[in-house]
Each structure stands twice: as structure tokens, then as C-alpha cells.
Amino acid sequence: MKLLGIVRFELAYQIRRPWPWLCMAALLVFAFVNTRVAVVPVTLPQDFILNSPFIIAVVSVFTCQIWLLIAPAIAGEAAARDAHTGMHPLTYTSPISKAEYLGGRFLAALVLNALILLAVQVGSLLAASAPGVDPEIIGPFRPAAYLAAFGLIALPNAFIATAVQFSVALLSGRPMASYAGSLGLFFFSYPVTFVLYFSPLQKLALLADPIGVMAIMNEMMSDWTIVEKNVRMFTLEGPMLLNRLIWVGIALLTLALVYLRFRFAHRTPADLWSRLTRRFAGKVLTPDAAAPRIAISVPQVRRSFGFATNVRQAISIARSSFWMIVKSPPGLFLLAVFPMFVVLVLNVESGMWGIQMLPRTGYILAKHVTAALTYFADYRVIVPLLIVYFAGELVWRERDARISENVDATPVPESVLFLGKFLGLGLVLGVFMVSLTAAGTVAQTLMGYHDFQVGLYLKILFGLQLPEYLLFAVLVLLVHSLVNQKHVAMLVALVVYFLIVFSSVLGVEHKLLVYGSSPGWAFTDMRGFGSSVGPWVVFKLYWAGWALLLAVVATLMWVRGREPTFRKRNDMAGLRFTGRAAGATAVAVALIGTLGGFIFYNTNVLNEYITDDE
């Protein structure tokens, strides 16, 4: 049967790739560490059993959120690999039906994602059975608890997410688009649901979560007693069951619409601007209808490869990178939809517990709009995740378009390529700060407050928040430069971000060791910033030195041409290490050494450094 043949081929192809195994290993480690580090301290004072059905379900549902971010490559590759590699003219003319083609690819992606999520149960089982755990908190081994968590939590989530990821990638013809679909599901699962839960629409929050975190956790955390949490088997009922039925139905409807939309036909540009242009133009220009050809004389100019030319090249790359992000659906979401969501959040959270807070500019910026890079508690986490996605799109842009060898042959230094893409991403983030300013003033106006303090908006958003994102952008660009495999690079970048976010959970707390971290700044209308900005600036300059060093490494290891092995790229890096690179490295090392020593002297010599546990 052709359907099963396509399933076998897709499974065999992807199993030979590194990303399924890396995703499986990442989830196994996350489930193990989450159980040992986050759950064990909770079990001891509250008489929880570590391997109870409740704990297993909790670990499963939270790990599903991490899986949603690190594993979209599975469905993206299955759906769009033919179109992306240019093989679709051959595969689309093969004697197979649309149902066999789409069904085989989707089923293979679903099976792979289900196998990857099986690693979560293995990690939970190892955490409870491996040495090093107090036997007092270990209960009897109940296989049904692991099977229930896998069958009732992991499998529905695998189906829902795979359907969305597969559909987005298939329609766009780009495997990377599956990451955008995952970010959309994550946004609904985490930020949107939590905002709705603390609003008058609490019941809607239990149904709006595609992963089921709020529906499952609210039912089990609120209504189950300690005894039930230790012995009661997890089942789907009430809001949990309704949530699963709604989202499985949405996934089925999505697949049906994509099936009706898909054609074995030549793919045309699918971006929104092209569609609007064709629609409103009324006709497509043909060579005969186009403007007549006019012969022109090309003047002889003197070629220049100096500093001024490099500046113009960097500006041109930055402009192109900026518009590529802005015109994409994730870019439109960041610059338009997300600020509107911020307006909603400010209106909801400023009136919590029945008390309307005065929406002062400093208050809403410090409490609801800005966030440190290490903050992972609410809707603001979506911005670093989008930075990871945008950086990957920029670094892999030419290779995805199959023009990288032409671009690499141009007389443009690697530093200009890196700087142009970084500036383009930085410009997007700058426009995002402007949109947040507009969102804040609109929210204040809706709440009847008109002392906007635009200068304070600029100081906090551009002076304090934007550097957080720019430092992270350099780190992500470095990861995509070092890892010469698109999906693996995305996975590594996300893992690096999770290590930064959960560093304190892993026992790494010193701000000299966690990239981008710093003491928090504070603002009040009575004393302004006080003395909080000074230490923040010192730490950010220290990390700016690290960012400069990372940028130098990224330019040295920048993929150019066909250099498949890391050894050859390392040899090329030695040739690229010129006087400018050496000067930048010296400046970076001087900043790191000087400011790092100053910080260490103040935090560990003049004062006693105490960890949170101490």
C-alpha cells in the first residue's frame, strides 16, 4: 500500500537525522531534572509521593510545553521538505493520491512525535527509580499511571501540535514555518490562558489552552485532596475532557481545510504582499505587457572595498533583514498583535482582586511590560522565543533560498554579513519598543490616565529593556553560526535559552555565570531609579564584553561556501583572524576581565556571597 510505503520512507529518513534523537534526549533530561529538582522539594513537606499519578501527570503536561518548542522540525520536514528542496515537481507527478501523500507524511510525523514524548515517561520513571531519592517518598510502581499520562496527555497534544505544525509548513512550503505554528500554540497555552484565568473569563481559560495545562492543572490542583493526588489515577473528565475534545476537533478541522486547499501544482509566492498585489492588480504582467526594453550605458566606476563601502553593505543587509522579518506573520504578530495583547493584559491585571491600580507609567513598565532575560513567568517569554526564530531565519535565509553560493562569492566580509543581520534584528526590536510605548499609552488612556511620561517610556524601553534583547540576539546568532544544521541549531538555541532561564534551578545563581543576568532595576515616582541603575549598567557592560567576543567568534566561524566539516571551518577561522578581529577580541577580553574582576571583588570579597538556599 502506497500510504504505508510513504510512512516507512518518512520514518526511515527522519530517524537517520539528528534532531529526533536530540529532542528525545532533551525531553528525557528535562523530565528527569524537573522531577528531581523541582518536584522532590515539594513532595517532602506536603507528603506527596514522587511517582504518584498526580506528579507524573504534572511533569508530563509541563514537559509537553517544552516539546512544543523544540520538536516542530519533525512535522515541518515531513510537510515541506519536497517544496523546500525543489523536489516537488517530481514528487507531485508521482502516481499517488493526495490522501496517500499527505496522510503518509502526517502519520509519520505523528508517530515520531509520539515516540519523542514517550521519553518524558522514561525520564519520570528514571527520576523515581534511580539512586539518590529518599525512599520515603517513593510509592509502588504503577505502570497504569505512566500509560495514562502518555495516552491522555501526551498523545492528544502530539496530534494537536503536529496537525498545526504540519499545516503551517505545508501551506508555506517552508519547514521553518512549523516553528511559527508552535509559537502560536505556545502563546495560547501559556500567556493567553493565564491572563484569561485571572479575568472574569476564567471558565474560558480552561478551554482555550491547546496543551491543556490550565484545564488539567486547575482540576487536579484545586479539587483533589493530598490522598487523591497520591493514589487517584488520572482520567479525562469535566473541563479536562471538554478541553481535549475541543482542541482535537480544531486539529481535525485544520487538517481537513489543508487537505482541501492543497494541490499537486506549481507553487507560487505565498507571502501576503504577493497575494494582495495579484488580487488588486487584476492581472499578471507578462513580458509582452511589461515596460519596453531600453538600452542603457553602464558607466565605468572605480571599485571601492573600503570602510565606507562596508558600512553601506551592512546598512543594505540590515534593511533587507528588517523588511523580511516585518513582512512575515511572526513579525506582524510581534509588532502588531502582541502590543494589542499587552493592552488587554494591562487592563486585566491593573484591576486584580477588585482594586483598580493607578496605571502610572513607571508601574506598568516595571511590573507588566519589561522583563529580564532570565524571567520565564508570563506572556513576556514569547519575545525571546521569537528572537530565536528570527535569528534562525536570518542566518539561514540565503541557504534556504539556494542563493548562498552567489552571496558568498561577493566581496562582503563576514563581519559585515553578521553585523547587517544583527542590525536588522535590532531594528525590529527597536520598532517593537515603539509599539510597546503605543500599547502602554493606549492602555493608560482606556483606564482614564493621561500622564504618559513619554520620556520615561524611552528611558526604560530603549535604555533598559532593549539591551536585554540585543545581548540575547548576539548569543542566538552565534549558535546558528556554529551549528551548521538548521533544525539542530534551533534546538541548541532553545536549550541554551532554557539553561539561562532555569539556571537557578540547576544551582547556578551567580550573575557572573548566567549570560545576560544582572541585578534588577527599580523605579518609583518618589525616588525615581535611585541607585539601582548603576549596578545594572556595570553588569550589562560586562555582558556586552562577552557579546562582543561572541560576535567575533560568530564572524570567524560564519559558514561561507561549502565547508561541511567543523575542522575546515576552524582552519578558515584562523585565516579570518586579522588585525581587526584581534583588536575586537582584545577590547572584549579587557571589558570582561576589568568589569568581571570589579564585580567579583564587590560581590564576593567586600561582601559575603550567599545563595538562595543558604
mmCIF file of all heavy atoms in Angstrom, residues 194-226:
data_model
loop_
_atom_site.group_PDB
_atom_site.id
_atom_site.type_symbol
_atom_site.label_atom_id
_atom_site.label_comp_id
_atom_site.label_asym_id
_atom_site.label_seq_id
_atom_site.Cartn_x
_atom_site.Cartn_y
_atom_site.Cartn_z
ATOM 1 N N PHE A 194 -3.296 32.103 30.950
ATOM 2 C CA PHE A 194 -3.105 32.621 32.295
ATOM 3 C C PHE A 194 -3.783 33.980 32.457
ATOM 4 O O PHE A 194 -4.339 34.278 33.518
ATOM 5 C CB PHE A 194 -1.607 32.720 32.616
ATOM 6 C CG PHE A 194 -1.045 31.457 33.176
ATOM 7 C CD1 PHE A 194 -0.843 30.352 32.365
ATOM 8 C CD2 PHE A 194 -0.721 31.355 34.512
ATOM 9 C CE1 PHE A 194 -0.329 29.173 32.874
ATOM 10 C CE2 PHE A 194 -0.204 30.181 35.034
ATOM 11 C CZ PHE A 194 -0.009 29.085 34.218
ATOM 12 N N VAL A 195 -3.730 34.808 31.431
ATOM 13 C CA VAL A 195 -4.414 36.109 31.515
ATOM 14 C C VAL A 195 -5.920 35.911 31.618
ATOM 15 O O VAL A 195 -6.604 36.563 32.418
ATOM 16 C CB VAL A 195 -4.054 36.983 30.295
ATOM 17 C CG1 VAL A 195 -4.908 38.237 30.266
ATOM 18 C CG2 VAL A 195 -2.578 37.355 30.335
ATOM 19 N N LEU A 196 -6.464 35.002 30.822
ATOM 20 C CA LEU A 196 -7.904 34.734 30.879
ATOM 21 C C LEU A 196 -8.301 34.148 32.227
ATOM 22 O O LEU A 196 -9.392 34.431 32.738
ATOM 23 C CB LEU A 196 -8.301 33.775 29.752
ATOM 24 C CG LEU A 196 -8.254 34.320 28.325
ATOM 25 C CD1 LEU A 196 -8.559 33.214 27.327
ATOM 26 C CD2 LEU A 196 -9.230 35.469 28.155
ATOM 27 N N TYR A 197 -7.429 33.339 32.809
ATOM 28 C CA TYR A 197 -7.780 32.675 34.065
ATOM 29 C C TYR A 197 -7.960 33.685 35.196
ATOM 30 O O TYR A 197 -8.795 33.479 36.085
ATOM 31 C CB TYR A 197 -6.696 31.662 34.426
ATOM 32 C CG TYR A 197 -7.047 30.825 35.640
ATOM 33 C CD1 TYR A 197 -7.963 29.785 35.545
ATOM 34 C CD2 TYR A 197 -6.457 31.076 36.878
ATOM 35 C CE1 TYR A 197 -8.294 29.020 36.646
ATOM 36 C CE2 TYR A 197 -6.785 30.314 37.994
ATOM 37 C CZ TYR A 197 -7.700 29.287 37.873
ATOM 38 O OH TYR A 197 -8.035 28.539 38.964
ATOM 39 N N PHE A 198 -7.178 34.763 35.184
ATOM 40 C CA PHE A 198 -7.282 35.772 36.232
ATOM 41 C C PHE A 198 -8.166 36.936 35.806
ATOM 42 O O PHE A 198 -8.017 38.055 36.295
ATOM 43 C CB PHE A 198 -5.882 36.286 36.606
ATOM 44 C CG PHE A 198 -5.045 35.243 37.278
ATOM 45 C CD1 PHE A 198 -4.039 34.590 36.586
ATOM 46 C CD2 PHE A 198 -5.275 34.900 38.596
ATOM 47 C CE1 PHE A 198 -3.259 33.622 37.211
ATOM 48 C CE2 PHE A 198 -4.500 33.928 39.224
ATOM 49 C CZ PHE A 198 -3.489 33.285 38.523
ATOM 50 N N SER A 199 -9.072 36.674 34.892
ATOM 51 C CA SER A 199 -10.046 37.659 34.429
ATOM 52 C C SER A 199 -11.444 37.100 34.671
ATOM 53 O O SER A 199 -11.601 35.953 35.116
ATOM 54 C CB SER A 199 -9.835 37.953 32.940
ATOM 55 O OG SER A 199 -10.250 36.858 32.155
ATOM 56 N N PRO A 200 -12.479 37.873 34.388
ATOM 57 C CA PRO A 200 -13.847 37.326 34.524
ATOM 58 C C PRO A 200 -14.123 36.135 33.614
ATOM 59 O O PRO A 200 -15.124 35.445 33.801
ATOM 60 C CB PRO A 200 -14.730 38.528 34.160
ATOM 61 C CG PRO A 200 -13.905 39.724 34.475
ATOM 62 C CD PRO A 200 -12.499 39.320 34.146
ATOM 63 N N LEU A 201 -13.251 35.890 32.632
ATOM 64 C CA LEU A 201 -13.453 34.785 31.689
ATOM 65 C C LEU A 201 -12.688 33.540 32.131
ATOM 66 O O LEU A 201 -12.046 32.861 31.337
ATOM 67 C CB LEU A 201 -13.000 35.209 30.287
ATOM 68 C CG LEU A 201 -13.672 36.448 29.702
ATOM 69 C CD1 LEU A 201 -13.038 36.832 28.376
ATOM 70 C CD2 LEU A 201 -15.169 36.211 29.532
ATOM 71 N N GLN A 202 -12.750 33.223 33.404
ATOM 72 C CA GLN A 202 -11.972 32.119 33.948
ATOM 73 C C GLN A 202 -12.349 30.776 33.321
ATOM 74 O O GLN A 202 -11.490 29.944 33.030
ATOM 75 C CB GLN A 202 -12.140 32.060 35.461
ATOM 76 C CG GLN A 202 -11.239 31.051 36.140
ATOM 77 C CD GLN A 202 -11.405 31.047 37.644
ATOM 78 O OE1 GLN A 202 -12.344 30.462 38.171
ATOM 79 N NE2 GLN A 202 -10.493 31.722 38.326
ATOM 80 N N LYS A 203 -13.634 30.540 33.106
ATOM 81 C CA LYS A 203 -14.051 29.264 32.523
ATOM 82 C C LYS A 203 -13.557 29.113 31.087
ATOM 83 O O LYS A 203 -13.247 28.005 30.648
ATOM 84 C CB LYS A 203 -15.579 29.151 32.571
ATOM 85 C CG LYS A 203 -16.139 29.031 33.990
ATOM 86 C CD LYS A 203 -17.646 28.832 33.971
ATOM 87 C CE LYS A 203 -18.186 28.655 35.388
ATOM 88 N NZ LYS A 203 -19.667 28.467 35.398
ATOM 89 N N LEU A 204 -13.473 30.237 30.371
ATOM 90 C CA LEU A 204 -12.953 30.180 29.012
ATOM 91 C C LEU A 204 -11.487 29.777 28.999
ATOM 92 O O LEU A 204 -11.024 29.098 28.070
ATOM 93 C CB LEU A 204 -13.147 31.530 28.321
ATOM 94 C CG LEU A 204 -12.637 31.650 26.882
ATOM 95 C CD1 LEU A 204 -13.351 30.654 25.976
ATOM 96 C CD2 LEU A 204 -12.815 33.074 26.373
ATOM 97 N N ALA A 205 -10.731 30.169 30.034
ATOM 98 C CA ALA A 205 -9.313 29.830 30.098
ATOM 99 C C ALA A 205 -9.103 28.328 30.144
ATOM 100 O O ALA A 205 -8.115 27.807 29.617
ATOM 101 C CB ALA A 205 -8.678 30.491 31.320
ATOM 102 N N LEU A 206 -10.024 27.611 30.777
ATOM 103 C CA LEU A 206 -9.884 26.161 30.868
ATOM 104 C C LEU A 206 -10.066 25.479 29.526
ATOM 105 O O LEU A 206 -9.649 24.337 29.341
ATOM 106 C CB LEU A 206 -10.900 25.605 31.867
ATOM 107 C CG LEU A 206 -10.814 26.168 33.282
ATOM 108 C CD1 LEU A 206 -11.880 25.538 34.159
ATOM 109 C CD2 LEU A 206 -9.431 25.950 33.884
ATOM 110 N N LEU A 207 -10.693 26.172 28.582
ATOM 111 C CA LEU A 207 -10.949 25.592 27.270
ATOM 112 C C LEU A 207 -10.018 26.128 26.194
ATOM 113 O O LEU A 207 -9.871 25.514 25.142
ATOM 114 C CB LEU A 207 -12.402 25.855 26.851
ATOM 115 C CG LEU A 207 -13.485 25.410 27.835
ATOM 116 C CD1 LEU A 207 -14.862 25.788 27.303
ATOM 117 C CD2 LEU A 207 -13.405 23.920 28.115
ATOM 118 N N ALA A 208 -9.383 27.282 26.434
ATOM 119 C CA ALA A 208 -8.594 27.946 25.392
ATOM 120 C C ALA A 208 -7.175 27.416 25.276
ATOM 121 O O ALA A 208 -6.467 27.763 24.337
ATOM 122 C CB ALA A 208 -8.542 29.453 25.668
ATOM 123 N N ASP A 209 -6.748 26.572 26.196
ATOM 124 C CA ASP A 209 -5.364 26.096 26.221
ATOM 125 C C ASP A 209 -5.212 24.872 25.333
ATOM 126 O O ASP A 209 -5.775 23.815 25.622
ATOM 127 C CB ASP A 209 -4.980 25.766 27.660
ATOM 128 C CG ASP A 209 -3.557 25.266 27.776
ATOM 129 O OD1 ASP A 209 -2.831 25.312 26.771
ATOM 130 O OD2 ASP A 209 -3.176 24.845 28.878
ATOM 131 N N PRO A 210 -4.438 24.958 24.236
ATOM 132 C CA PRO A 210 -4.289 23.794 23.342
ATOM 133 C C PRO A 210 -3.500 22.652 23.952
ATOM 134 O O PRO A 210 -3.635 21.507 23.522
ATOM 135 C CB PRO A 210 -3.566 24.379 22.121
ATOM 136 C CG PRO A 210 -2.891 25.600 22.625
ATOM 137 C CD PRO A 210 -3.750 26.142 23.709
ATOM 138 N N ILE A 211 -2.672 22.923 24.953
ATOM 139 C CA ILE A 211 -1.889 21.868 25.593
ATOM 140 C C ILE A 211 -2.607 21.311 26.813
ATOM 141 O O ILE A 211 -2.288 20.236 27.302
ATOM 142 C CB ILE A 211 -0.483 22.398 25.967
ATOM 143 C CG1 ILE A 211 0.218 22.902 24.710
ATOM 144 C CG2 ILE A 211 0.387 21.330 26.606
ATOM 145 C CD1 ILE A 211 0.382 21.862 23.630
ATOM 146 N N GLY A 212 -3.583 22.045 27.319
ATOM 147 C CA GLY A 212 -4.359 21.567 28.450
ATOM 148 C C GLY A 212 -3.734 21.809 29.801
ATOM 149 O O GLY A 212 -4.131 21.183 30.788
ATOM 150 N N VAL A 213 -2.746 22.698 29.891
ATOM 151 C CA VAL A 213 -2.074 22.935 31.168
ATOM 152 C C VAL A 213 -3.067 23.448 32.210
ATOM 153 O O VAL A 213 -3.173 22.900 33.317
ATOM 154 C CB VAL A 213 -0.919 23.938 30.991
ATOM 155 C CG1 VAL A 213 -0.282 24.250 32.339
ATOM 156 C CG2 VAL A 213 0.116 23.389 30.034
ATOM 157 N N MET A 214 -3.801 24.489 31.864
ATOM 158 C CA MET A 214 -4.691 25.097 32.841
ATOM 159 C C MET A 214 -5.865 24.180 33.170
ATOM 160 O O MET A 214 -6.249 24.033 34.330
ATOM 161 C CB MET A 214 -5.207 26.438 32.310
ATOM 162 C CG MET A 214 -6.025 27.218 33.327
ATOM 163 S SD MET A 214 -5.112 27.582 34.836
ATOM 164 C CE MET A 214 -3.875 28.710 34.218
ATOM 165 N N ALA A 215 -6.447 23.542 32.165
ATOM 166 C CA ALA A 215 -7.587 22.663 32.420
ATOM 167 C C ALA A 215 -7.188 21.494 33.307
ATOM 168 O O ALA A 215 -7.900 21.145 34.258
ATOM 169 C CB ALA A 215 -8.161 22.158 31.102
ATOM 170 N N ILE A 216 -6.058 20.885 33.013
ATOM 171 C CA ILE A 216 -5.625 19.721 33.787
ATOM 172 C C ILE A 216 -5.136 20.134 35.168
ATOM 173 O O ILE A 216 -5.541 19.565 36.191
ATOM 174 C CB ILE A 216 -4.526 18.967 33.021
ATOM 175 C CG1 ILE A 216 -5.099 18.372 31.729
ATOM 176 C CG2 ILE A 216 -3.906 17.875 33.884
ATOM 177 C CD1 ILE A 216 -4.066 17.757 30.819
ATOM 178 N N MET A 217 -4.266 21.136 35.223
ATOM 179 C CA MET A 217 -3.696 21.523 36.494
ATOM 180 C C MET A 217 -4.740 22.144 37.417
ATOM 181 O O MET A 217 -4.707 21.942 38.638
ATOM 182 C CB MET A 217 -2.543 22.508 36.272
ATOM 183 C CG MET A 217 -1.371 21.910 35.523
ATOM 184 S SD MET A 217 -0.753 20.412 36.315
ATOM 185 C CE MET A 217 -0.316 21.052 37.910
ATOM 186 N N ASN A 218 -5.667 22.920 36.881
ATOM 187 C CA ASN A 218 -6.686 23.534 37.731
ATOM 188 C C ASN A 218 -7.560 22.467 38.385
ATOM 189 O O ASN A 218 -7.873 22.532 39.573
ATOM 190 C CB ASN A 218 -7.562 24.475 36.891
ATOM 191 C CG ASN A 218 -8.675 25.101 37.708
ATOM 192 O OD1 ASN A 218 -8.444 25.987 38.510
ATOM 193 N ND2 ASN A 218 -9.895 24.627 37.510
ATOM 194 N N GLU A 219 -7.957 21.461 37.600
ATOM 195 C CA GLU A 219 -8.807 20.397 38.138
ATOM 196 C C GLU A 219 -8.077 19.600 39.212
ATOM 197 O O GLU A 219 -8.605 19.350 40.299
ATOM 198 C CB GLU A 219 -9.237 19.478 36.993
ATOM 199 C CG GLU A 219 -10.129 18.338 37.415
ATOM 200 C CD GLU A 219 -11.567 18.759 37.653
ATOM 201 O OE1 GLU A 219 -11.920 19.901 37.275
ATOM 202 O OE2 GLU A 219 -12.316 17.964 38.216
ATOM 203 N N MET A 220 -6.841 19.215 38.927
ATOM 204 C CA MET A 220 -6.115 18.348 39.851
ATOM 205 C C MET A 220 -5.596 19.114 41.061
ATOM 206 O O MET A 220 -5.620 18.613 42.178
ATOM 207 C CB MET A 220 -4.957 17.679 39.116
ATOM 208 C CG MET A 220 -5.391 16.792 37.955
ATOM 209 S SD MET A 220 -4.004 16.170 37.000
ATOM 210 C CE MET A 220 -3.234 15.082 38.176
ATOM 211 N N MET A 221 -5.105 20.344 40.850
ATOM 212 C CA MET A 221 -4.533 21.111 41.956
ATOM 213 C C MET A 221 -5.614 21.614 42.903
ATOM 214 O O MET A 221 -5.435 21.632 44.120
ATOM 215 C CB MET A 221 -3.737 22.298 41.394
ATOM 216 C CG MET A 221 -2.492 21.890 40.652
ATOM 217 S SD MET A 221 -1.175 21.338 41.743
ATOM 218 C CE MET A 221 -0.287 22.845 41.986
ATOM 219 N N SER A 222 -6.752 22.037 42.356
ATOM 220 C CA SER A 222 -7.768 22.682 43.175
ATOM 221 C C SER A 222 -8.718 21.686 43.826
ATOM 222 O O SER A 222 -9.122 21.872 44.979
ATOM 223 C CB SER A 222 -8.571 23.674 42.324
ATOM 224 O OG SER A 222 -7.727 24.632 41.730
ATOM 225 N N ASP A 223 -9.097 20.644 43.113
ATOM 226 C CA ASP A 223 -10.190 19.792 43.578
ATOM 227 C C ASP A 223 -9.727 18.483 44.208
ATOM 228 O O ASP A 223 -10.499 17.834 44.907
ATOM 229 C CB ASP A 223 -11.125 19.473 42.397
ATOM 230 C CG ASP A 223 -11.755 20.731 41.818
ATOM 231 O OD1 ASP A 223 -11.763 21.761 42.521
ATOM 232 O OD2 ASP A 223 -12.236 20.686 40.664
ATOM 233 N N TRP A 224 -8.497 18.062 43.947
ATOM 234 C CA TRP A 224 -8.036 16.789 44.500
ATOM 235 C C TRP A 224 -7.387 17.001 45.866
ATOM 236 O O TRP A 224 -6.631 17.961 46.080
ATOM 237 C CB TRP A 224 -7.019 16.123 43.570
ATOM 238 C CG TRP A 224 -7.606 15.584 42.304
ATOM 239 C CD1 TRP A 224 -8.813 15.896 41.762
ATOM 240 C CD2 TRP A 224 -7.000 14.638 41.420
ATOM 241 N NE1 TRP A 224 -9.000 15.225 40.595
ATOM 242 C CE2 TRP A 224 -7.907 14.425 40.354
ATOM 243 C CE3 TRP A 224 -5.811 13.956 41.417
ATOM 244 C CZ2 TRP A 224 -7.646 13.569 39.297
ATOM 245 C CZ3 TRP A 224 -5.527 13.096 40.376
ATOM 246 C CH2 TRP A 224 -6.437 12.902 39.322
ATOM 247 N N THR A 225 -7.654 16.121 46.804
ATOM 248 C CA THR A 225 -7.009 16.167 48.104
ATOM 249 C C THR A 225 -5.608 15.556 48.005
ATOM 250 O O THR A 225 -5.234 14.968 46.982
ATOM 251 C CB THR A 225 -7.833 15.386 49.137
ATOM 252 O OG1 THR A 225 -7.851 14.000 48.766
ATOM 253 C CG2 THR A 225 -9.262 15.922 49.206
ATOM 254 N N ILE A 226 -4.835 15.675 49.086
ATOM 255 C CA ILE A 226 -3.494 15.093 49.099
ATOM 256 C C ILE A 226 -3.554 13.586 48.877
ATOM 257 O O ILE A 226 -2.756 13.013 48.129
ATOM 258 C CB ILE A 226 -2.783 15.408 50.433
ATOM 259 C CG1 ILE A 226 -2.556 16.919 50.564
ATOM 260 C CG2 ILE A 226 -1.456 14.663 50.519
ATOM 261 C CD1 ILE A 226 -1.581 17.477 49.584
#
